[in-house]
Amino acid sequence: MPDLHARKLTVLVPACDTGRHAHHPGITCAQMNEEIAWMDEYFAAELSKSLGRKVTPMSEVPPALRGPNWKAQS
């Protein structure tokens, strides 16, 4: 039986001028933040529908892996 290995593949992309996001031509950083927030809400809602329960940030991460600064969100 072969050994199993896990790998994380990383792709480097150019950053925006502030270095906070991937390059986003034609929109500002504030607009990019709004888009990211919308995507987070959308995917959380879709995942909640498919699982049949509310999903919040970190709710699917085991408590032991959340770290000391994690605060529960309702």
Side-chain angles (χ1 to χ4, degrees):
M1 180 169 220
D3 291 334
L4 299 176
H5 300 280
R7 292 186 181 177
K8 179 179 179 181
L9 300 177
T10 304
V11 177
L12 298 175
V13 296
C16 68
D17 293 337
T18 64
R20 295 183 311 181
H21 314 104
H23 183 62
H24 46 83
I27 63 173
T28 65
C29 283
Q31 291 169 321
M32 189 65 188
N33 287 336
E34 289 175 12
E35 187 174 320
I36 291 168
W38 180 87
M39 286 188 291
D40 288 346
E41 290 174 18
Y42 173 79
F43 288 116
E46 290 299 312
L47 188 57
S48 294
K49 280 195 272 186
S50 67
L51 292 176
R53 59 186 164 82
K54 186 175 181 182
V55 176
T56 59
M58 301 296 283
S59 66
E60 302 303 302
V61 177
L65 299 178
R66 292 179 185 165
N69 294 326
W70 180 80
K71 293 177 177 52
Q73 296 182 2
S74 55

Short mmCIF file of all heavy atoms in Angstrom, two decimals:
data_model
loop_
_atom_site.label_atom_id
_atom_site.label_comp_id
_atom_site.label_asym_id
_atom_site.label_seq_id
_atom_site.Cartn_x
_atom_site.Cartn_y
_atom_site.Cartn_z
N MET A 1 0.84 -1.18 0.00
CA MET A 1 0.00 0.00 0.00
C MET A 1 0.89 1.24 0.00
O MET A 1 1.79 1.36 0.81
CB MET A 1 -0.90 -0.03 1.23
CG MET A 1 -1.81 1.13 1.36
SD MET A 1 -3.03 0.80 2.65
CE MET A 1 -4.42 1.50 1.87
N PRO A 2 0.62 2.22 -0.89
CA PRO A 2 1.47 3.42 -0.95
C PRO A 2 1.26 4.34 0.24
O PRO A 2 0.20 4.36 0.84
CB PRO A 2 1.03 4.09 -2.25
CG PRO A 2 -0.37 3.63 -2.45
CD PRO A 2 -0.43 2.24 -1.89
N ASP A 3 2.31 5.10 0.55
CA ASP A 3 2.19 6.12 1.60
C ASP A 3 1.27 7.23 1.10
O ASP A 3 1.25 7.56 -0.08
CB ASP A 3 3.55 6.73 1.93
CG ASP A 3 4.46 5.74 2.63
OD1 ASP A 3 3.93 4.82 3.27
OD2 ASP A 3 5.68 5.90 2.53
N LEU A 4 0.50 7.79 2.01
CA LEU A 4 -0.38 8.89 1.66
C LEU A 4 0.27 10.20 2.10
O LEU A 4 0.82 10.29 3.19
CB LEU A 4 -1.74 8.74 2.34
CG LEU A 4 -2.52 7.48 1.96
CD1 LEU A 4 -3.80 7.40 2.78
CD2 LEU A 4 -2.84 7.48 0.48
N HIS A 5 0.21 11.18 1.24
CA HIS A 5 0.80 12.49 1.53
C HIS A 5 -0.22 13.58 1.22
O HIS A 5 -0.96 13.48 0.24
CB HIS A 5 2.05 12.74 0.68
CG HIS A 5 3.13 11.73 0.90
ND1 HIS A 5 3.98 11.76 1.97
CD2 HIS A 5 3.46 10.63 0.19
CE1 HIS A 5 4.82 10.74 1.91
NE2 HIS A 5 4.52 10.03 0.83
N ALA A 6 -0.24 14.59 2.04
CA ALA A 6 -1.09 15.74 1.77
C ALA A 6 -0.20 16.90 1.35
O ALA A 6 0.88 17.09 1.90
CB ALA A 6 -1.88 16.12 3.02
N ARG A 7 -0.66 17.65 0.38
CA ARG A 7 0.11 18.80 -0.08
C ARG A 7 -0.81 19.99 -0.21
O ARG A 7 -1.97 19.87 -0.57
CB ARG A 7 0.73 18.54 -1.45
CG ARG A 7 1.80 17.51 -1.41
CD ARG A 7 2.44 17.44 -2.74
NE ARG A 7 3.46 16.41 -2.68
CZ ARG A 7 4.19 16.02 -3.69
NH1 ARG A 7 4.01 16.56 -4.86
NH2 ARG A 7 5.09 15.10 -3.55
N LYS A 8 -0.27 21.13 0.07
CA LYS A 8 -1.00 22.36 -0.14
C LYS A 8 -0.40 23.03 -1.37
O LYS A 8 0.78 23.35 -1.41
CB LYS A 8 -0.87 23.29 1.07
CG LYS A 8 -1.61 24.60 0.89
CD LYS A 8 -1.48 25.48 2.12
CE LYS A 8 -2.20 26.78 1.89
NZ LYS A 8 -2.07 27.67 3.04
N LEU A 9 -1.23 23.22 -2.36
CA LEU A 9 -0.77 23.87 -3.57
C LEU A 9 -1.04 25.36 -3.45
O LEU A 9 -2.15 25.78 -3.14
CB LEU A 9 -1.48 23.31 -4.79
CG LEU A 9 -1.29 21.80 -5.01
CD1 LEU A 9 -2.10 21.34 -6.20
CD2 LEU A 9 0.17 21.48 -5.21
N THR A 10 -0.05 26.15 -3.70
CA THR A 10 -0.18 27.59 -3.57
C THR A 10 0.13 28.23 -4.92
O THR A 10 1.08 27.86 -5.59
CB THR A 10 0.80 28.13 -2.51
OG1 THR A 10 0.55 27.46 -1.29
CG2 THR A 10 0.62 29.61 -2.31
N VAL A 11 -0.68 29.18 -5.27
CA VAL A 11 -0.46 29.93 -6.49
C VAL A 11 -0.25 31.38 -6.10
O VAL A 11 -1.08 31.97 -5.41
CB VAL A 11 -1.67 29.81 -7.45
CG1 VAL A 11 -1.46 30.65 -8.68
CG2 VAL A 11 -1.93 28.37 -7.81
N LEU A 12 0.86 31.93 -6.51
CA LEU A 12 1.13 33.33 -6.22
C LEU A 12 0.47 34.20 -7.27
O LEU A 12 0.56 33.93 -8.46
CB LEU A 12 2.64 33.59 -6.20
CG LEU A 12 3.42 32.82 -5.14
CD1 LEU A 12 4.91 33.08 -5.30
CD2 LEU A 12 2.97 33.24 -3.76
N VAL A 13 -0.24 35.23 -6.82
CA VAL A 13 -0.89 36.17 -7.73
C VAL A 13 -0.47 37.58 -7.33
O VAL A 13 -0.11 37.81 -6.18
CB VAL A 13 -2.43 36.04 -7.70
CG1 VAL A 13 -2.88 34.68 -8.20
CG2 VAL A 13 -2.97 36.29 -6.31
N PRO A 14 -0.53 38.51 -8.25
CA PRO A 14 -0.17 39.88 -7.89
C PRO A 14 -1.15 40.45 -6.88
O PRO A 14 -2.34 40.16 -6.93
CB PRO A 14 -0.25 40.65 -9.21
CG PRO A 14 -0.62 39.68 -10.26
CD PRO A 14 -0.87 38.35 -9.65
N ALA A 15 -0.63 41.25 -5.96
CA ALA A 15 -1.47 41.88 -4.93
C ALA A 15 -1.89 43.27 -5.39
O ALA A 15 -1.27 43.87 -6.29
CB ALA A 15 -0.71 41.99 -3.63
N CYS A 16 -2.93 43.79 -4.75
CA CYS A 16 -3.34 45.18 -5.03
C CYS A 16 -2.31 46.11 -4.39
O CYS A 16 -1.39 45.67 -3.70
CB CYS A 16 -4.74 45.44 -4.50
SG CYS A 16 -4.90 45.42 -2.71
N ASP A 17 -2.48 47.41 -4.60
CA ASP A 17 -1.51 48.38 -4.09
C ASP A 17 -1.37 48.35 -2.58
O ASP A 17 -0.31 48.61 -2.04
CB ASP A 17 -1.89 49.80 -4.54
CG ASP A 17 -1.76 49.97 -6.05
OD1 ASP A 17 -1.00 49.20 -6.67
OD2 ASP A 17 -2.42 50.87 -6.60
N THR A 18 -2.46 48.04 -1.86
CA THR A 18 -2.40 48.00 -0.40
C THR A 18 -1.83 46.68 0.12
O THR A 18 -1.47 46.58 1.27
CB THR A 18 -3.79 48.20 0.23
OG1 THR A 18 -4.63 47.11 -0.15
CG2 THR A 18 -4.39 49.53 -0.19
N GLY A 19 -1.82 45.66 -0.74
CA GLY A 19 -1.32 44.35 -0.34
C GLY A 19 -2.33 43.52 0.43
O GLY A 19 -2.00 42.47 0.95
N ARG A 20 -3.58 43.98 0.51
CA ARG A 20 -4.60 43.25 1.27
C ARG A 20 -5.36 42.22 0.44
O ARG A 20 -5.95 41.31 0.99
CB ARG A 20 -5.61 44.22 1.89
CG ARG A 20 -5.01 45.14 2.91
CD ARG A 20 -6.04 46.01 3.55
NE ARG A 20 -6.86 46.66 2.52
CZ ARG A 20 -7.84 47.50 2.77
NH1 ARG A 20 -8.16 47.79 3.99
NH2 ARG A 20 -8.53 48.05 1.79
N HIS A 21 -5.39 42.39 -0.87
CA HIS A 21 -6.19 41.53 -1.73
C HIS A 21 -5.36 41.11 -2.94
O HIS A 21 -4.32 41.68 -3.22
CB HIS A 21 -7.42 42.27 -2.27
CG HIS A 21 -8.17 43.04 -1.25
ND1 HIS A 21 -8.09 44.41 -1.14
CD2 HIS A 21 -9.03 42.64 -0.29
CE1 HIS A 21 -8.86 44.82 -0.16
NE2 HIS A 21 -9.45 43.76 0.38
N ALA A 22 -5.91 40.15 -3.68
CA ALA A 22 -5.36 39.88 -5.01
C ALA A 22 -5.68 41.09 -5.87
O ALA A 22 -6.60 41.87 -5.57
CB ALA A 22 -6.00 38.63 -5.59
N HIS A 23 -4.92 41.31 -6.91
CA HIS A 23 -5.10 42.46 -7.79
C HIS A 23 -6.55 42.53 -8.26
O HIS A 23 -7.11 41.54 -8.71
CB HIS A 23 -4.15 42.34 -8.98
CG HIS A 23 -4.19 43.49 -9.90
ND1 HIS A 23 -3.85 44.76 -9.51
CD2 HIS A 23 -4.54 43.58 -11.20
CE1 HIS A 23 -3.98 45.58 -10.54
NE2 HIS A 23 -4.40 44.89 -11.58
N HIS A 24 -7.18 43.69 -8.13
CA HIS A 24 -8.58 43.87 -8.50
C HIS A 24 -8.74 45.11 -9.36
O HIS A 24 -9.17 46.16 -8.90
CB HIS A 24 -9.50 43.94 -7.27
CG HIS A 24 -8.99 44.84 -6.18
ND1 HIS A 24 -9.18 46.20 -6.19
CD2 HIS A 24 -8.29 44.56 -5.05
CE1 HIS A 24 -8.64 46.73 -5.10
NE2 HIS A 24 -8.08 45.76 -4.40
N PRO A 25 -8.39 44.99 -10.64
CA PRO A 25 -8.46 46.16 -11.52
C PRO A 25 -9.89 46.65 -11.69
O PRO A 25 -10.83 45.87 -11.79
CB PRO A 25 -7.90 45.64 -12.84
CG PRO A 25 -8.08 44.17 -12.80
CD PRO A 25 -7.99 43.78 -11.35
N GLY A 26 -10.06 47.96 -11.68
CA GLY A 26 -11.36 48.56 -11.93
C GLY A 26 -12.24 48.77 -10.71
O GLY A 26 -13.29 49.39 -10.81
N ILE A 27 -11.84 48.25 -9.54
CA ILE A 27 -12.62 48.49 -8.33
C ILE A 27 -11.68 48.88 -7.19
O ILE A 27 -10.49 48.56 -7.22
CB ILE A 27 -13.49 47.27 -7.91
CG1 ILE A 27 -12.62 46.05 -7.57
CG2 ILE A 27 -14.50 46.93 -8.98
CD1 ILE A 27 -13.41 44.89 -7.00
N THR A 28 -12.22 49.58 -6.21
CA THR A 28 -11.41 50.02 -5.08
C THR A 28 -11.31 48.91 -4.03
O THR A 28 -12.03 47.91 -4.09
CB THR A 28 -12.04 51.26 -4.41
OG1 THR A 28 -13.30 50.87 -3.85
CG2 THR A 28 -12.23 52.39 -5.41
N CYS A 29 -10.42 49.10 -3.07
CA CYS A 29 -10.29 48.13 -1.97
C CYS A 29 -11.59 48.04 -1.17
O CYS A 29 -11.98 46.96 -0.74
CB CYS A 29 -9.13 48.49 -1.05
SG CYS A 29 -7.52 48.07 -1.74
N ALA A 30 -12.27 49.18 -0.98
CA ALA A 30 -13.55 49.16 -0.25
C ALA A 30 -14.58 48.33 -1.00
O ALA A 30 -15.32 47.55 -0.39
CB ALA A 30 -14.06 50.58 -0.05
N GLN A 31 -14.62 48.47 -2.33
CA GLN A 31 -15.54 47.66 -3.12
C GLN A 31 -15.16 46.19 -3.06
O GLN A 31 -16.04 45.32 -3.00
CB GLN A 31 -15.56 48.15 -4.57
CG GLN A 31 -16.19 49.51 -4.74
CD GLN A 31 -15.94 50.08 -6.13
OE1 GLN A 31 -14.85 49.93 -6.70
NE2 GLN A 31 -16.97 50.72 -6.68
N MET A 32 -13.87 45.90 -3.04
CA MET A 32 -13.42 44.51 -2.93
C MET A 32 -13.82 43.93 -1.58
O MET A 32 -14.26 42.78 -1.49
CB MET A 32 -11.90 44.43 -3.12
CG MET A 32 -11.39 43.02 -3.24
SD MET A 32 -12.03 42.25 -4.73
CE MET A 32 -11.47 40.59 -4.48
N ASN A 33 -13.70 44.73 -0.51
CA ASN A 33 -14.13 44.27 0.81
C ASN A 33 -15.62 43.95 0.83
O ASN A 33 -16.04 42.96 1.43
CB ASN A 33 -13.80 45.31 1.89
CG ASN A 33 -12.32 45.36 2.19
OD1 ASN A 33 -11.59 44.40 1.98
ND2 ASN A 33 -11.87 46.51 2.67
N GLU A 34 -16.43 44.80 0.17
CA GLU A 34 -17.87 44.55 0.08
C GLU A 34 -18.15 43.26 -0.68
O GLU A 34 -19.01 42.47 -0.28
CB GLU A 34 -18.57 45.71 -0.61
CG GLU A 34 -18.64 46.97 0.20
CD GLU A 34 -19.25 48.12 -0.57
OE1 GLU A 34 -19.83 47.90 -1.65
OE2 GLU A 34 -19.13 49.27 -0.08
N GLU A 35 -17.41 43.03 -1.76
CA GLU A 35 -17.61 41.82 -2.55
C GLU A 35 -17.23 40.57 -1.74
O GLU A 35 -17.95 39.57 -1.76
CB GLU A 35 -16.76 41.89 -3.81
CG GLU A 35 -17.00 40.76 -4.77
CD GLU A 35 -16.25 40.92 -6.08
OE1 GLU A 35 -16.19 42.04 -6.60
OE2 GLU A 35 -15.73 39.91 -6.57
N ILE A 36 -16.15 40.65 -1.01
CA ILE A 36 -15.72 39.52 -0.18
C ILE A 36 -16.76 39.24 0.91
O ILE A 36 -17.11 38.08 1.16
CB ILE A 36 -14.33 39.80 0.44
CG1 ILE A 36 -13.26 39.78 -0.66
CG2 ILE A 36 -14.00 38.78 1.53
CD1 ILE A 36 -11.91 40.31 -0.22
N ALA A 37 -17.27 40.29 1.56
CA ALA A 37 -18.29 40.11 2.60
C ALA A 37 -19.55 39.48 2.01
O ALA A 37 -20.14 38.58 2.60
CB ALA A 37 -18.62 41.45 3.25
N TRP A 38 -19.94 39.93 0.81
CA TRP A 38 -21.12 39.37 0.15
C TRP A 38 -20.90 37.89 -0.15
O TRP A 38 -21.78 37.06 0.10
CB TRP A 38 -21.44 40.12 -1.14
CG TRP A 38 -22.64 39.56 -1.84
CD1 TRP A 38 -23.93 39.90 -1.62
CD2 TRP A 38 -22.66 38.51 -2.82
NE1 TRP A 38 -24.76 39.14 -2.41
CE2 TRP A 38 -23.99 38.28 -3.17
CE3 TRP A 38 -21.67 37.76 -3.45
CZ2 TRP A 38 -24.38 37.32 -4.11
CZ3 TRP A 38 -22.05 36.81 -4.39
CH2 TRP A 38 -23.38 36.60 -4.70
N MET A 39 -19.73 37.54 -0.68
CA MET A 39 -19.45 36.14 -0.99
C MET A 39 -19.45 35.28 0.27
O MET A 39 -19.99 34.17 0.27
CB MET A 39 -18.11 36.00 -1.72
CG MET A 39 -18.17 36.47 -3.16
SD MET A 39 -16.68 36.10 -4.11
CE MET A 39 -15.49 37.19 -3.36
N ASP A 40 -18.87 35.78 1.36
CA ASP A 40 -18.87 35.04 2.61
C ASP A 40 -20.30 34.77 3.09
O ASP A 40 -20.64 33.66 3.49
CB ASP A 40 -18.10 35.79 3.70
CG ASP A 40 -16.60 35.77 3.49
OD1 ASP A 40 -16.12 34.97 2.65
OD2 ASP A 40 -15.90 36.56 4.16
N GLU A 41 -21.15 35.81 3.05
CA GLU A 41 -22.55 35.65 3.47
C GLU A 41 -23.29 34.68 2.56
O GLU A 41 -24.06 33.84 3.03
CB GLU A 41 -23.25 37.00 3.48
CG GLU A 41 -22.79 37.94 4.57
CD GLU A 41 -23.40 39.32 4.44
OE1 GLU A 41 -24.42 39.47 3.74
OE2 GLU A 41 -22.84 40.25 5.05
N TYR A 42 -23.08 34.81 1.27
CA TYR A 42 -23.77 33.95 0.30
C TYR A 42 -23.41 32.48 0.51
O TYR A 42 -24.28 31.62 0.61
CB TYR A 42 -23.43 34.38 -1.13
CG TYR A 42 -23.97 33.44 -2.17
CD1 TYR A 42 -25.31 33.49 -2.54
CD2 TYR A 42 -23.15 32.48 -2.76
CE1 TYR A 42 -25.82 32.62 -3.49
CE2 TYR A 42 -23.65 31.61 -3.71
CZ TYR A 42 -24.98 31.68 -4.07
OH TYR A 42 -25.48 30.81 -5.00
N PHE A 43 -22.11 32.20 0.59
CA PHE A 43 -21.70 30.80 0.74
C PHE A 43 -22.08 30.22 2.10
O PHE A 43 -22.42 29.05 2.20
CB PHE A 43 -20.20 30.64 0.46
CG PHE A 43 -19.88 30.80 -1.00
CD1 PHE A 43 -19.08 31.83 -1.43
CD2 PHE A 43 -20.40 29.93 -1.94
CE1 PHE A 43 -18.80 32.00 -2.78
CE2 PHE A 43 -20.12 30.08 -3.29
CZ PHE A 43 -19.32 31.12 -3.71
N ALA A 44 -22.07 31.05 3.16
CA ALA A 44 -22.53 30.58 4.47
C ALA A 44 -24.02 30.24 4.41
O ALA A 44 -24.46 29.22 4.96
CB ALA A 44 -22.25 31.62 5.54
N ALA A 45 -24.80 31.07 3.72
CA ALA A 45 -26.24 30.81 3.60
C ALA A 45 -26.50 29.54 2.80
O ALA A 45 -27.34 28.71 3.17
CB ALA A 45 -26.94 32.00 2.95
N GLU A 46 -25.78 29.36 1.70
CA GLU A 46 -25.95 28.16 0.88
C GLU A 46 -25.54 26.90 1.65
O GLU A 46 -26.22 25.88 1.58
CB GLU A 46 -25.15 28.27 -0.43
CG GLU A 46 -25.70 29.28 -1.39
CD GLU A 46 -27.12 28.96 -1.84
OE1 GLU A 46 -27.39 27.81 -2.22
OE2 GLU A 46 -27.95 29.88 -1.79
N LEU A 47 -24.45 26.99 2.39
CA LEU A 47 -23.99 25.85 3.18
C LEU A 47 -25.00 25.56 4.29
O LEU A 47 -25.30 24.40 4.58
CB LEU A 47 -22.61 26.12 3.76
CG LEU A 47 -21.91 24.97 4.47
CD1 LEU A 47 -21.77 23.76 3.55
CD2 LEU A 47 -20.55 25.41 4.96
N SER A 48 -25.55 26.60 4.91
CA SER A 48 -26.55 26.41 5.95
C SER A 48 -27.77 25.69 5.39
O SER A 48 -28.34 24.80 6.04
CB SER A 48 -26.97 27.75 6.54
OG SER A 48 -25.91 28.35 7.23
N LYS A 49 -28.20 26.08 4.17
CA LYS A 49 -29.35 25.42 3.55
C LYS A 49 -29.05 23.95 3.29
O LYS A 49 -29.88 23.09 3.56
CB LYS A 49 -29.71 26.10 2.23
CG LYS A 49 -30.52 27.36 2.41
CD LYS A 49 -31.15 27.79 1.10
CE LYS A 49 -30.19 28.67 0.33
NZ LYS A 49 -30.78 29.24 -0.88
N SER A 50 -27.86 23.66 2.77
CA SER A 50 -27.56 22.27 2.43
C SER A 50 -27.35 21.40 3.66
O SER A 50 -27.66 20.21 3.63
CB SER A 50 -26.34 22.19 1.50
OG SER A 50 -25.17 22.59 2.18
N LEU A 51 -26.85 21.98 4.75
CA LEU A 51 -26.64 21.20 5.98
C LEU A 51 -27.88 21.16 6.86
O LEU A 51 -27.96 20.35 7.78
CB LEU A 51 -25.47 21.77 6.78
CG LEU A 51 -24.09 21.64 6.15
CD1 LEU A 51 -23.05 22.34 7.02
CD2 LEU A 51 -23.71 20.18 5.96
N GLY A 52 -28.80 22.08 6.63
CA GLY A 52 -30.01 22.12 7.44
C GLY A 52 -29.80 22.73 8.81
O GLY A 52 -30.59 22.52 9.73
N ARG A 53 -28.74 23.49 8.98
CA ARG A 53 -28.48 24.20 10.24
C ARG A 53 -27.65 25.43 9.94
O ARG A 53 -27.02 25.52 8.89
CB ARG A 53 -27.76 23.31 11.25
CG ARG A 53 -26.43 22.78 10.78
CD ARG A 53 -25.86 21.79 11.80
NE ARG A 53 -24.80 21.00 11.23
CZ ARG A 53 -23.54 21.39 11.10
NH1 ARG A 53 -23.19 22.58 11.50
NH2 ARG A 53 -22.64 20.61 10.57
N LYS A 54 -27.66 26.39 10.86
CA LYS A 54 -26.94 27.63 10.65
C LYS A 54 -25.43 27.40 10.71
O LYS A 54 -24.94 26.75 11.62
CB LYS A 54 -27.35 28.67 11.70
CG LYS A 54 -26.73 30.02 11.45
CD LYS A 54 -27.24 31.05 12.42
CE LYS A 54 -26.61 32.40 12.10
NZ LYS A 54 -27.03 33.42 13.04
N VAL A 55 -24.74 27.95 9.74
CA VAL A 55 -23.29 27.87 9.71
C VAL A 55 -22.75 29.28 9.88
O VAL A 55 -23.17 30.21 9.20
CB VAL A 55 -22.81 27.28 8.36
CG1 VAL A 55 -21.30 27.30 8.27
CG2 VAL A 55 -23.33 25.87 8.18
N THR A 56 -21.84 29.46 10.83
CA THR A 56 -21.21 30.75 11.07
C THR A 56 -19.70 30.57 10.91
O THR A 56 -19.22 29.44 10.87
CB THR A 56 -21.52 31.25 12.50
OG1 THR A 56 -21.04 30.29 13.43
CG2 THR A 56 -23.00 31.49 12.69
N PRO A 57 -18.95 31.68 10.82
CA PRO A 57 -17.51 31.52 10.73
C PRO A 57 -16.99 30.68 11.89
O PRO A 57 -17.36 30.88 13.03
CB PRO A 57 -16.98 32.96 10.81
CG PRO A 57 -18.12 33.78 10.30
CD PRO A 57 -19.36 33.06 10.76
N MET A 58 -16.19 29.74 11.60
CA MET A 58 -15.55 28.84 12.56
C MET A 58 -16.48 27.78 13.14
O MET A 58 -16.03 26.94 13.91
CB MET A 58 -14.89 29.62 13.70
CG MET A 58 -13.83 30.61 13.27
SD MET A 58 -12.41 29.83 12.49
CE MET A 58 -11.55 29.17 13.90
N SER A 59 -17.76 27.76 12.79
CA SER A 59 -18.66 26.78 13.39
C SER A 59 -18.32 25.35 12.96
O SER A 59 -18.64 24.41 13.67
CB SER A 59 -20.12 27.09 13.04
OG SER A 59 -20.36 26.93 11.66
N GLU A 60 -17.67 25.20 11.83
CA GLU A 60 -17.32 23.87 11.36
C GLU A 60 -15.91 23.45 11.78
O GLU A 60 -15.46 22.37 11.45
CB GLU A 60 -17.45 23.80 9.83
CG GLU A 60 -18.85 24.14 9.32
CD GLU A 60 -19.91 23.24 9.94
OE1 GLU A 60 -19.82 22.01 9.79
OE2 GLU A 60 -20.83 23.77 10.57
N VAL A 61 -15.22 24.33 12.50
CA VAL A 61 -13.87 24.03 12.98
C VAL A 61 -13.97 23.47 14.39
O VAL A 61 -14.61 24.07 15.24
CB VAL A 61 -12.99 25.30 12.95
CG1 VAL A 61 -11.60 25.01 13.50
CG2 VAL A 61 -12.91 25.86 11.54
N PRO A 62 -13.34 22.33 14.66
CA PRO A 62 -13.39 21.77 16.01
C PRO A 62 -12.86 22.78 17.04
O PRO A 62 -11.90 23.50 16.77
CB PRO A 62 -12.47 20.55 15.94
CG PRO A 62 -12.40 20.21 14.49
CD PRO A 62 -12.55 21.50 13.75
N PRO A 63 -13.49 22.85 18.22
CA PRO A 63 -13.08 23.82 19.24
C PRO A 63 -11.58 23.79 19.57
O PRO A 63 -10.99 24.83 19.80
CB PRO A 63 -13.91 23.43 20.46
CG PRO A 63 -15.13 22.80 19.88
CD PRO A 63 -14.65 22.08 18.64
N ALA A 64 -10.98 22.62 19.55
CA ALA A 64 -9.56 22.52 19.89
C ALA A 64 -8.67 23.23 18.87
O ALA A 64 -7.54 23.60 19.18
CB ALA A 64 -9.15 21.06 19.99
N LEU A 65 -9.17 23.45 17.66
CA LEU A 65 -8.36 24.08 16.61
C LEU A 65 -8.66 25.57 16.44
O LEU A 65 -8.04 26.22 15.63
CB LEU A 65 -8.60 23.37 15.28
CG LEU A 65 -8.24 21.90 15.24
CD1 LEU A 65 -8.58 21.32 13.88
CD2 LEU A 65 -6.77 21.69 15.56
N ARG A 66 -9.59 26.13 17.21
CA ARG A 66 -10.00 27.51 17.00
C ARG A 66 -9.04 28.53 17.57
O ARG A 66 -8.97 29.64 17.11
CB ARG A 66 -11.39 27.73 17.61
CG ARG A 66 -12.45 26.99 16.85
CD ARG A 66 -13.78 27.19 17.47
NE ARG A 66 -14.79 26.37 16.81
CZ ARG A 66 -15.96 26.11 17.29
NH1 ARG A 66 -16.32 26.62 18.45
NH2 ARG A 66 -16.80 25.36 16.64
N GLY A 67 -8.28 28.19 18.58
CA GLY A 67 -7.33 29.13 19.14
C GLY A 67 -7.93 29.95 20.27
O GLY A 67 -9.15 30.03 20.44
N PRO A 68 -7.07 30.60 21.04
CA PRO A 68 -7.52 31.32 22.23
C PRO A 68 -8.29 32.60 21.94
O PRO A 68 -9.00 33.10 22.80
CB PRO A 68 -6.22 31.63 22.96
CG PRO A 68 -5.19 31.68 21.87
CD PRO A 68 -5.63 30.65 20.87
N ASN A 69 -8.16 33.18 20.76
CA ASN A 69 -8.81 34.46 20.48
C ASN A 69 -10.18 34.29 19.83
O ASN A 69 -10.83 35.27 19.51
CB ASN A 69 -7.93 35.31 19.57
CG ASN A 69 -6.65 35.69 20.26
OD1 ASN A 69 -6.62 35.91 21.46
ND2 ASN A 69 -5.58 35.76 19.51
N TRP A 70 -10.62 33.06 19.63
CA TRP A 70 -11.90 32.83 18.98
C TRP A 70 -13.03 33.21 19.91
O TRP A 70 -13.05 32.86 21.09
CB TRP A 70 -12.05 31.38 18.57
CG TRP A 70 -13.34 31.12 17.89
CD1 TRP A 70 -13.66 31.39 16.61
CD2 TRP A 70 -14.51 30.54 18.48
NE1 TRP A 70 -14.95 31.03 16.35
CE2 TRP A 70 -15.50 30.50 17.48
CE3 TRP A 70 -14.83 30.06 19.74
CZ2 TRP A 70 -16.77 29.99 17.71
CZ3 TRP A 70 -16.08 29.57 19.96
CH2 TRP A 70 -17.05 29.53 18.94
N LYS A 71 -14.00 33.94 19.38
CA LYS A 71 -15.19 34.29 20.15
C LYS A 71 -16.39 33.72 19.42
O LYS A 71 -16.53 33.88 18.21
CB LYS A 71 -15.32 35.79 20.29
CG LYS A 71 -14.23 36.41 21.15
CD LYS A 71 -14.36 37.93 21.20
CE LYS A 71 -13.35 38.56 22.08
NZ LYS A 71 -11.97 38.23 21.87
N ALA A 72 -17.25 33.07 20.14
CA ALA A 72 -18.44 32.45 19.53
C ALA A 72 -19.30 33.52 18.89
O ALA A 72 -19.45 34.61 19.43
CB ALA A 72 -19.23 31.68 20.57
N GLN A 73 -19.88 33.18 17.75
CA GLN A 73 -20.81 34.08 17.07
C GLN A 73 -22.14 33.37 16.96
O GLN A 73 -22.20 32.20 16.68
CB GLN A 73 -20.29 34.44 15.69
CG GLN A 73 -19.01 35.21 15.70
CD GLN A 73 -18.57 35.58 14.29
OE1 GLN A 73 -19.25 35.29 13.34
NE2 GLN A 73 -17.42 36.21 14.20
N SER A 74 -23.20 34.10 17.17
CA SER A 74 -24.53 33.49 17.09
C SER A 74 -25.03 33.52 15.67
O SER A 74 -24.61 34.27 14.85
CB SER A 74 -25.49 34.17 18.02
OG SER A 74 -25.52 35.54 17.76
#
